[in-house]
Amino acid sequence: MAPPKSVRSISQQAFDELVKENIEDLGMDSTEALEDAIQTLTLQGVDLSGIVTSILGSGEENPVIQSLEKLKELDRDWKQGGGDETDVKEIIEWLDKLNDACNVDGSGNAAIATKNGAIKLVCSICGKLGSEGLVSALKTLVSLLHDLQSTEIFRETNGPKMVMNILNNRKENLSILNSGFAVVSAAATGNEVLKEAFMNLKIDELILQCLREFSRGSIPCLYDAVRVLLTSDDNRVVASEVYGYARRFAKIGIVEALVDSLHDGIKAPSLVSASVALKAIAVNDDICRAVAENGGIDAILRCIDDSSEQGEKVVAITCCSLLSK
């Protein structure tokens, strides 16, 4: 891997002090002081991601910082004396608020949350919650895993093992399984080390088990996890291992399980997702032959015919792409 490019950074406290100096020493109003600080630091090449750079009204508090402070307090109280049902409901409430804030387009709130310890905190909370709050915690984790820095923090926090423990121990809850696989997708996107970590934890075997045990389409994020795990998208890596992972997926029987989804036809909720996942696995002639031997070509052609008759353009494009592969 290539060494990471060094970037100048600044703490929230130092940024706030600079704005304060502009107001007190230079007589600027708050808006002017903030704009000057941002412009000055940007020209100096300072990375401002994760810094609160907005002006709030009197008495207002940044929703990300407010949510994190409350969650830290609840997590700390839980460690000291054990949580009860009221604490769980409050944790869920604040997790949902944090998730909503991080999903505001263009807000930079996910970066602010990451810089203020959100990933480690939410991972800690995941380890304490029962089924009731895990979906909220996992959804929040997905919104936090937005770039390489955040996924590396997730890795350093032993996030892959935590998520795999949840997936292996909560198979009876489809919502938890779906949210857990969404975390896998978010974490492994653009991060070869995390792909390897999940594969070392035998996520391929878990995926096959879920495909066999649950009705097709009941865990939509599972298919996206397959695609992400088998996509070479980490610019730090010269030679990716994803093709070896694809062969591993094929060897244990996932090809057959995915082809079964194609046989359900155009109305199957998992058709597009299964086709994309199957395309990611089909990396050599042997795997493509296995698709054909299990009736995959015939199933794809039927889906293409049906999609043209019913005007299902997305299905048609996806199936044609798979057929081409």
Side-chain angles (χ1 to χ4, degrees):
M1 292 186 182
K5 185 179 179 181
S6 59
V7 179
R8 297 184 64 187
S9 60
I10 189 172
S11 67
Q12 185 69 53
Q13 182 180 358
F15 179 83
D16 293 341
E17 285 294 328
L18 180 57
V19 175
K20 185 179 178 181
E21 287 177 10
N22 283 343
I23 295 173
E24 295 181 351
D25 298 346
L26 301 179
M28 297 180 181
D29 61 39
S30 57
T31 302
E32 186 183 9
L34 181 66
E35 291 175 350
D36 180 81
I38 293 172
Q39 184 178 19
T40 299
L41 293 170
T42 301
L43 289 172
Q44 293 175 1
V46 177
D47 180 14
L48 293 178
S49 60
I51 299 297
V52 178
T53 59
S54 57
I55 297 176
L56 300 174
S58 178
E60 283 189 274
E61 190 174 357
N62 182 278
V64 172
I65 303 301
Q66 182 185 31
S67 298
L68 288 176
E69 287 179 351
K70 192 62 181 178
L71 286 169
K72 286 175 183 177
E73 179 185 333
L74 290 164
D75 187 52
R76 186 167 53 248
D77 292 345
W78 194 299
K79 289 177 182 177
Q80 293 173 350
D84 55 25
E85 187 176 343
T86 303
D87 292 326
V88 171
K89 289 181 178 179
E90 196 169 359
I91 286 174
I92 293 172
E93 177 186 345
W94 287 104
L95 282 170
D96 290 342
K97 288 182 179 179
L98 177 60
N99 184 39
D100 290 342
C102 290
N103 280 316
V104 176
D105 290 339
S107 65
N109 283 339
I112 293 171
T114 299
K115 196 176 185 74
N116 285 277
I119 293 174
K120 185 176 181 180
L121 173 63
V122 175
C123 284
S124 173
I125 290 172
C126 282
K128 300 180 180 70
L129 291 174
S131 298
E132 183 182 0
L134 267 177
V135 172
S136 289
L138 292 170
K139 285 181 177 179
T140 303
L141 201 49
V142 170
S143 68
L144 294 170
L145 297 171
H146 65 287
D147 61 6
L148 184 61
Q149 181 185 11
S150 59
T151 59
E152 280 296 292
I153 294 172
F154 176 76
R155 180 181 64 82
E156 293 164 2
T157 312
N158 212 12
K161 186 175 181 180
M162 180 269 295
V163 171
M164 287 299 293
N165 284 338
I166 291 172
L167 290 172
N168 280 309
N169 295 325
R170 304 299 176 94
K171 292 196 192 77
E172 76 286 350
N173 191 313
L174 290 177
S175 295
I176 290 177
L177 284 176
N178 196 53
S179 299
F181 280 117
V183 173
V184 173
S185 298
T189 296
N191 195 316
E192 182 82 11
V193 182
L194 278 172
K195 295 182 203 290
E196 181 182 12
F198 283 117
M199 292 301 293
N200 288 342
L201 292 166
K202 300 183 178 179
I203 194 170
D204 51 332
E205 296 178 10
L206 174 63
I207 288 172
L208 177 60
Q209 185 180 356
C210 290
L211 285 171
R212 287 176 171 171
E213 288 185 8
F214 301 105
S215 60
R216 290 186 276 275
S218 58
I219 313 174
C221 290
L222 176 151
Y223 300 98
D224 197 45
V226 174
R227 177 190 62 79
V228 170
L229 289 167
L230 303 183
T231 299
S232 176
D233 57 1
D234 190 335
N235 295 328
R236 302 170 299 169
V237 176
V238 177
S240 175
E241 296 293 327
V242 298
Y243 302 107
Y245 300 155
R247 291 191 293 271
R248 233 175 90 178
F249 270 80
K251 186 176 181 180
I252 65 173
I254 288 182
V255 168
E256 291 79 359
L258 289 173
V259 169
D260 284 345
S261 299
L262 304 183
H263 286 301
D264 290 341
I266 191 172
K267 294 303 180 183
S270 61
L271 175 60
V272 171
S273 299
S275 298
V276 172
L278 193 54
K279 180 183 174 184
I281 295 174
V283 297
N284 61 29
D285 288 345
D286 289 338
I287 299 173
C288 291
R289 193 174 297 113
V291 173
E293 290 171 353
N294 284 276
I297 302 299
D298 290 338
I300 295 169
L301 291 172
R302 280 197 303 274
C303 289
I304 292 173
D305 284 342
D306 292 343
S307 63
S308 64
E309 292 176 2
Q310 300 181 33
E312 296 283 354
K313 291 183 179 180
V314 174
V315 173
I317 291 170
T318 305
C319 288
C320 285
S321 179
L322 175 57
L323 184 63
S324 175
K325 181 71 176 281

